[in-house]
Short mmCIF file of all heavy atoms in Angstrom, two decimals:
data_model
loop_
_atom_site.label_atom_id
_atom_site.label_comp_id
_atom_site.label_asym_id
_atom_site.label_seq_id
_atom_site.Cartn_x
_atom_site.Cartn_y
_atom_site.Cartn_z
N ASN A 931 -23.26 -0.23 -109.89
CA ASN A 931 -21.97 -0.46 -110.57
C ASN A 931 -21.41 -1.87 -110.35
O ASN A 931 -20.22 -2.04 -110.13
CB ASN A 931 -20.96 0.60 -110.14
CG ASN A 931 -19.86 0.78 -111.17
OD1 ASN A 931 -20.09 0.57 -112.35
ND2 ASN A 931 -18.69 1.15 -110.71
N TYR A 932 -22.27 -2.88 -110.45
CA TYR A 932 -21.83 -4.27 -110.39
C TYR A 932 -21.65 -4.77 -111.82
O TYR A 932 -22.58 -4.68 -112.63
CB TYR A 932 -22.86 -5.17 -109.70
CG TYR A 932 -23.08 -4.87 -108.24
CD1 TYR A 932 -24.34 -4.53 -107.79
CD2 TYR A 932 -22.05 -4.97 -107.32
CE1 TYR A 932 -24.57 -4.27 -106.44
CE2 TYR A 932 -22.26 -4.71 -105.97
CZ TYR A 932 -23.53 -4.36 -105.54
OH TYR A 932 -23.75 -4.11 -104.22
N PRO A 933 -20.49 -5.31 -112.15
CA PRO A 933 -20.35 -5.94 -113.46
C PRO A 933 -21.29 -7.14 -113.56
O PRO A 933 -21.53 -7.83 -112.56
CB PRO A 933 -18.89 -6.40 -113.49
CG PRO A 933 -18.22 -5.74 -112.34
CD PRO A 933 -19.27 -5.38 -111.36
N VAL A 934 -21.81 -7.40 -114.75
CA VAL A 934 -22.68 -8.55 -114.97
C VAL A 934 -22.08 -9.44 -116.05
O VAL A 934 -21.69 -8.95 -117.11
CB VAL A 934 -24.10 -8.11 -115.42
CG1 VAL A 934 -24.98 -9.33 -115.71
CG2 VAL A 934 -24.75 -7.24 -114.38
N ILE A 935 -22.02 -10.72 -115.75
CA ILE A 935 -21.56 -11.73 -116.70
C ILE A 935 -22.73 -12.66 -116.94
O ILE A 935 -23.42 -13.07 -116.01
CB ILE A 935 -20.37 -12.54 -116.12
CG1 ILE A 935 -19.24 -11.63 -115.66
CG2 ILE A 935 -19.91 -13.58 -117.13
CD1 ILE A 935 -18.61 -10.79 -116.72
N GLN A 936 -22.94 -13.01 -118.20
CA GLN A 936 -24.08 -13.87 -118.54
C GLN A 936 -23.55 -15.23 -119.04
O GLN A 936 -22.60 -15.28 -119.81
CB GLN A 936 -24.87 -13.17 -119.65
CG GLN A 936 -26.25 -13.70 -119.83
CD GLN A 936 -27.04 -12.80 -120.75
OE1 GLN A 936 -27.82 -11.99 -120.29
NE2 GLN A 936 -26.86 -12.95 -122.05
N TRP A 937 -24.19 -16.31 -118.57
CA TRP A 937 -23.81 -17.66 -118.97
C TRP A 937 -25.02 -18.41 -119.51
O TRP A 937 -26.08 -18.41 -118.89
CB TRP A 937 -23.30 -18.43 -117.75
CG TRP A 937 -21.85 -18.19 -117.45
CD1 TRP A 937 -21.35 -17.11 -116.77
CD2 TRP A 937 -20.76 -19.02 -117.77
NE1 TRP A 937 -19.99 -17.23 -116.68
CE2 TRP A 937 -19.60 -18.42 -117.28
CE3 TRP A 937 -20.64 -20.23 -118.44
CZ2 TRP A 937 -18.34 -18.97 -117.43
CZ3 TRP A 937 -19.38 -20.78 -118.58
CH2 TRP A 937 -18.24 -20.16 -118.08
N HIS A 938 -24.85 -19.07 -120.63
CA HIS A 938 -25.90 -19.93 -121.16
C HIS A 938 -25.88 -21.24 -120.35
O HIS A 938 -24.81 -21.75 -120.00
CB HIS A 938 -25.65 -20.23 -122.64
CG HIS A 938 -26.82 -20.88 -123.29
ND1 HIS A 938 -27.04 -22.23 -123.21
CD2 HIS A 938 -27.85 -20.38 -124.00
CE1 HIS A 938 -28.15 -22.54 -123.84
NE2 HIS A 938 -28.66 -21.42 -124.33
N PRO A 939 -27.05 -21.80 -120.03
CA PRO A 939 -27.11 -23.02 -119.21
C PRO A 939 -26.24 -24.17 -119.73
O PRO A 939 -25.58 -24.86 -118.93
CB PRO A 939 -28.59 -23.40 -119.23
CG PRO A 939 -29.30 -22.11 -119.47
CD PRO A 939 -28.38 -21.30 -120.35
N LYS A 940 -26.19 -24.38 -121.02
CA LYS A 940 -25.37 -25.48 -121.56
C LYS A 940 -23.89 -25.23 -121.33
O LYS A 940 -23.12 -26.17 -121.12
CB LYS A 940 -25.67 -25.68 -123.05
CG LYS A 940 -27.01 -26.32 -123.30
CD LYS A 940 -27.24 -26.57 -124.77
CE LYS A 940 -28.60 -27.22 -124.97
NZ LYS A 940 -28.86 -27.54 -126.37
N ASP A 941 -23.48 -23.97 -121.38
CA ASP A 941 -22.08 -23.65 -121.14
C ASP A 941 -21.71 -23.86 -119.67
O ASP A 941 -20.59 -24.26 -119.36
CB ASP A 941 -21.78 -22.22 -121.57
CG ASP A 941 -21.92 -22.03 -123.07
OD1 ASP A 941 -21.74 -23.00 -123.83
OD2 ASP A 941 -22.24 -20.90 -123.49
N VAL A 942 -22.64 -23.58 -118.77
CA VAL A 942 -22.41 -23.85 -117.34
C VAL A 942 -22.24 -25.35 -117.12
O VAL A 942 -21.30 -25.79 -116.45
CB VAL A 942 -23.58 -23.31 -116.48
CG1 VAL A 942 -23.44 -23.75 -115.02
CG2 VAL A 942 -23.66 -21.80 -116.56
N LYS A 943 -23.13 -26.14 -117.70
CA LYS A 943 -23.04 -27.60 -117.56
C LYS A 943 -21.70 -28.11 -118.10
O LYS A 943 -21.06 -28.95 -117.47
CB LYS A 943 -24.19 -28.27 -118.32
CG LYS A 943 -25.54 -28.03 -117.70
CD LYS A 943 -26.65 -28.61 -118.57
CE LYS A 943 -28.02 -28.34 -117.97
NZ LYS A 943 -29.08 -28.95 -118.80
N LYS A 944 -21.27 -27.61 -119.24
CA LYS A 944 -20.01 -28.02 -119.84
C LYS A 944 -18.83 -27.64 -118.95
O LYS A 944 -17.92 -28.43 -118.73
CB LYS A 944 -19.87 -27.36 -121.23
CG LYS A 944 -18.53 -27.57 -121.88
CD LYS A 944 -18.50 -28.83 -122.66
CE LYS A 944 -17.23 -28.87 -123.50
NZ LYS A 944 -16.74 -30.18 -123.72
N GLU A 945 -18.87 -26.42 -118.41
CA GLU A 945 -17.77 -25.95 -117.55
C GLU A 945 -17.63 -26.81 -116.29
O GLU A 945 -16.53 -27.12 -115.86
CB GLU A 945 -18.01 -24.49 -117.16
CG GLU A 945 -16.95 -23.90 -116.27
CD GLU A 945 -15.58 -23.80 -116.93
OE1 GLU A 945 -15.50 -23.54 -118.14
OE2 GLU A 945 -14.57 -23.96 -116.21
#
Side-chain angles (χ1 to χ4, degrees):
N931 204 29
Y932 295 121
V934 177
I935 306 298
Q936 197 170 261
W937 276 81
H938 191 277
K940 287 183 179 182
D941 294 333
V942 172
K943 291 175 182 182
K944 173 88 170 149
E945 180 65 35

